[in-house]
Amino acid sequence: MEGSRSITESAEWRALAQHHAQIGEVHLRTLFAGDPRRGETMVAEAGEVFLDYSKNRVTGETLRLLLALTQRCNLRRRIDAMFAGEHINVTENRPVLHVALRTPRDRAIIVDGEDVMRKVHAVLDRMKAFAGRVRAGEWTGHTGKSIRNVVNIGIGGSDLGPAMAYEALKDYSDRSMTFRFVSNVDGSDIREATHDLDPAATLFIVSSKTFTTLETLSNAHAAREWLLAELGDDEAVRCHFVAVSTNAEKVAEFGIDPAHMFEFWDWVGGRYSFSSAIGLSLMVAVGPERFDDLLGGMHVMDEHFRTAPFERNLPVVLALLGIWYGNFFGAQTQAILPYSQYLWRLTSYLQQLDMESNGKSVDLEGDPVETATGPVVWGQPGTNGQHAFHQLLHQGTRLIPCDFIGFCRPNHQVGRHQDLLMANLFAQTEALAFGKTPTEVSAEGVGQTLVAHRSFPGNRPTNTILAPALTPSVLGQLVALYEHKIFTQAAVWNINAFDQWGVELGKVLANRIIPELEAADEPSLDHDSSTNALIRRYRAGRNSE
Ligand code: G6Q
């Protein structure tokens, strides 16, 4: 792919560096004073998502210079290549087509000569029929009891999406059913997820693209043992296990009926997969119609990303602002702060999406990158974070750009809570931007020794993302917004957002260590002295009681 191999040597990049030298320290107070309409003009909208980016350390000129990067890296052409099913995941020689998963039935997307939309909708139809039967109590277990508990077993991309979305949309879920998500190979995860469930009414959805993942298969085997300990008969697996995978052979090997497998394809990356059959547990929880609404919301954002001019394109604007701070101010991290308890797992989800996609240090050609790539993504829901880490956001020495996410209408009628919640969101962005000067602090009668402690420098950048309410469609819009933000940043940096070779080494080394931990006799070890000593200490500690 043509691109921005030498983006940092480009005239566009140099112009930004020069511009940063000129305006980098200009205070948001000055920028707002100089343009009283800034808060009304530095906004953009897509679907139901409204973005206020006025509290960023940018001028109109900054945005013009940042937008020039999209030309430089051929962003338009790269977007078209993704939507057309070109093999843009070059290191795995695959298309990247999660956008097809939420494309309406009547459109065709031809990949390597085949219309993938027929396959996508055939699986969606099967998922809907299945979810409908489970929700209606028509899917019965081995003893004839209706299934009332659903446990998704998966990890990473096969867990975080449905787990996050289930929490986000709990208010829309069938409250008479129980949903659990097991991921960790720490046995306490499966134990806690199952200890109070009735096996006869429990269904396991084993979600694994490869169906070879250590954690998922270990947990699936543990689940089978738990089930059979109660129900006795191997035949029980048939109606208590279904699979979501690309690997029919391995699914059959585990003992799950291939007729109970929901398929997806290698052109769906793990962390981009929750709009595929990986969302099956979520569909059972919220019902097929709401799952369709979620897909509809994603499609709205996909179309916005594909067609909106870049200066009004939400994913592009967010991406460029991230590049401005990460590459020109040296910001290392990005905080995501949803003011919604339902979104308590959103940051973990986005952490994987962003850090596994853009945590790369070589470009598409395999050459070392010459500038920082993806940020450390972190955060927690407000207002909890305010009583914990916001101190550092306000008065610490680091620059941390923050995305605040809020909703106009709550899903509840509890007291004054919604206005209190949103007042805090608005107050945080105001305080971070404008701070409080020593003069203002002194004017309040604060003693001289405390003035420095009680002053706030301000000039800390934030985006505010507002939507009418946390509906399935809005959740879909938000997820797709961040997916495409990450895509845009990868395009500018000329890196592959869709592979994850960095997770392999640890897996290989763990497979070497497993027999050393399990060996009955003291194994001979030839790791480094630290790893050798730790393994010996662990073995000794485990065996002493
Ligand atoms: C995501 C990653 C990773 C993957 C898990 C689970 O992009 O590739 O998080 O989703 O390792 O893999 P399986 O679905 O194959 O079990």
Side-chain angles (χ1 to χ4, degrees):
M1 159 120 19
E2 79 275 38
S4 52
R5 190 162 168 194
S6 53
I7 189 93
T8 55
E9 285 153 29
S10 68
E12 289 85 348
W13 198 267
R14 279 201 303 276
L16 276 160
Q18 270 172 15
H19 178 66
H20 176 259
Q22 284 159 10
I23 75 128
E25 292 313 311
V26 174
H27 203 286
L28 280 165
R29 284 178 177 239
T30 312
L31 295 174
F32 271 82
D35 175 6
R37 295 196 57 241
R38 186 178 167 96
E40 287 148 52
T41 52
M42 285 197 166
V43 299
E45 238 167 313
E48 295 164 274
V49 180
F50 172 83
L51 167 68
D52 174 346
Y53 59 93
S54 63
K55 293 191 184 87
N56 279 288
R57 291 164 68 165
V58 295
T59 63
E61 175 69 355
T62 321
L63 294 168
R64 198 185 61 72
L65 293 172
L66 283 167
L67 281 162
L69 295 177
T70 63
Q71 294 272 344
R72 180 73 199 187
C73 75
N74 293 308
L75 180 61
R76 174 65 58 207
R77 150 102 193 87
R78 290 180 193 242
I79 294 173
D80 290 345
M82 173 169 72
F83 279 82
E86 290 180 26
H87 288 218
I88 62 167
N89 177 355
V90 288
T91 60
E92 295 178 303
N93 191 21
R94 288 174 184 166
V96 173
L97 264 180
H98 43 279
V99 292
L101 302 167
R102 51 265 189 154
T103 297
R105 203 179 279 273
D106 52 4
R107 303 255 189 102
I109 298 184
I110 310 294
V111 174
D112 301 333
E114 189 191 6
D115 180 7
V116 296
M117 294 313 301
R118 280 194 312 144
K119 299 200 290 194
V120 165
H121 282 276
V123 172
L124 263 176
D125 290 343
R126 285 186 58 228
M127 289 167 64
K128 289 175 186 178
F130 171 76
R133 285 183 65 192
V134 176
R135 286 166 62 83
E138 291 165 17
W139 187 281
T140 49
H142 190 59
T143 65
K145 266 195 190 175
S146 291
I147 292 300
R148 294 287 82 196
N149 315 314
V150 173
V151 181
N152 185 74
I153 300 179
I155 195 165
S158 300
D159 165 70
L160 283 162
M164 173 282 289
Y166 168 67
E167 293 296 333
L169 301 177
K170 211 176 223 171
D171 193 43
Y172 298 86
S173 71
D174 182 339
R175 302 285 195 159
S176 72
M177 297 184 68
T178 299
F179 294 88
R180 303 261 165 87
F181 295 83
V182 173
S183 54
N184 203 331
V185 76
D186 177 347
S188 31
D189 202 5
I190 183 90
R191 175 168 173 241
E192 289 299 323
T194 51
H195 78 98
D196 56 347
L197 300 184
D198 172 8
T202 301
L203 174 81
F204 293 97
I205 301 180
V206 186
S207 298
S208 175
K209 181 172 169 179
T210 55
F211 230 78
T212 56
T213 306
L214 171 86
E215 292 87 340
T216 301
L217 287 192
S218 305
N219 281 324
H221 281 286
R224 183 160 64 182
E225 274 168 36
W226 174 83
L227 183 88
L228 297 183
E230 177 80 12
L231 302 182
D233 186 354
D234 268 4
E235 265 300 293
V237 171
R238 204 185 135 68
C239 41
H240 289 271
F241 278 81
V242 299
V244 178
S245 189
T246 60
N247 192 340
E249 210 175 293
K250 292 277 176 201
V251 167
E253 217 170 88
F254 179 85
I256 295 177
D257 185 344
H260 296 168
M261 165 173 154
F262 298 85
E263 194 189 1
F264 65 116
W265 307 276
D266 70 358
W267 42 262
V268 182
R271 56 194 171 276
Y272 294 87
S273 69
F274 104 93
S275 44
S276 73
I278 289 291
L280 184 61
S281 51
L282 175 69
M283 190 196 268
V284 176
V286 302
E289 279 177 23
R290 280 153 178 165
F291 194 83
D292 265 349
D293 292 345
L294 176 106
L295 298 184
M298 295 182 115
H299 183 63
V300 165
M301 192 58 74
D302 294 342
E303 285 300 282
H304 169 82
F305 180 54
R306 195 174 66 80
T307 60
F310 291 150
E311 65 275 16
R312 285 188 275 117
N313 195 308
L314 259 65
V316 173
V317 171
L318 282 185
L320 294 176
L321 290 168
I323 284 170
W324 179 232
Y325 297 118
N327 294 131
F328 297 94
F329 286 78
Q332 303 262 357
T333 81
Q334 162 78 58
I336 312 267
L337 309 168
Y339 274 56
S340 162
Q341 192 57 33
Y342 282 124
L343 290 182
W344 71 277
R345 298 215 60 191
L346 181 70
T347 307
S348 303
Y349 172 76
L350 294 179
Q351 197 169 50
Q352 176 187 29
L353 197 64
D354 203 327
M355 294 173 73
E356 205 167 35
S357 296
N358 286 348
K360 309 288 163 63
S361 51
V362 295
D363 66 14
L364 286 169
E365 287 77 29
D367 295 320
V369 294
E370 287 163 2
T371 188
T373 56
V376 175
V377 174
W378 63 282
Q380 269 189 42
T383 58
N384 296 359
Q386 290 176 212
H387 297 263
F389 54 77
H390 280 226
Q391 165 65 36
L392 186 148
L393 300 181
H394 288 284
Q395 288 186 316
T397 53
R398 296 169 198 280
L399 179 74
I400 302 181
C402 306
D403 286 358
F404 284 78
I405 303 172
F407 303 94
C408 297
R409 292 190 304 276
N411 297 48
H412 60 79
Q413 299 297 328
V414 181
R416 302 158 59 213
H417 286 57
Q418 173 68 6
D419 288 343
L420 302 182
L421 176 71
M422 292 304 289
N424 273 282
L425 185 161
F426 299 134
Q428 288 296 312
T429 65
E430 197 177 16
L432 285 164
F434 303 108
K436 196 170 185 180
T437 63
T439 315
E440 288 166 337
V441 175
S442 296
E444 287 176 355
V446 171
Q448 217 31 55
T449 52
L450 281 184
V451 168
H453 296 278
R454 297 187 59 174
S455 300
F456 291 71
N459 216 17
R460 313 218 157 184
T462 61
N463 290 308
T464 304
I465 294 170
L466 271 184
L470 180 53
T471 60
S473 171
V474 164
L475 181 69
Q477 293 170 47
L478 287 173
V479 168
L481 167 63
Y482 281 98
E483 285 178 349
H484 300 318
K485 170 198 169 182
I486 291 163
F487 177 94
T488 302
Q489 293 189 329
V492 172
W493 294 321
N494 196 36
I495 58 176
N496 185 358
F498 301 108
D499 60 13
Q500 58 285 315
W501 301 105
V503 302
E504 293 305 322
L505 179 60
K507 287 189 200 171
V508 172
L509 296 185
N511 277 327
R512 197 175 140 207
I513 294 174
I514 290 166
E516 295 170 346
L517 301 190
E518 291 182 336
D521 299 328
E522 200 59 38
S524 72
L525 302 172
D526 64 351
H527 303 274
D528 58 277
S529 61
S530 159
T531 310
N532 285 345
L534 287 167
I535 291 173
R536 285 194 197 100
R537 192 174 180 86
Y538 168 76
R539 284 181 56 97
R542 186 194 55 189
N543 297 336
S544 72
E545 213 175 326

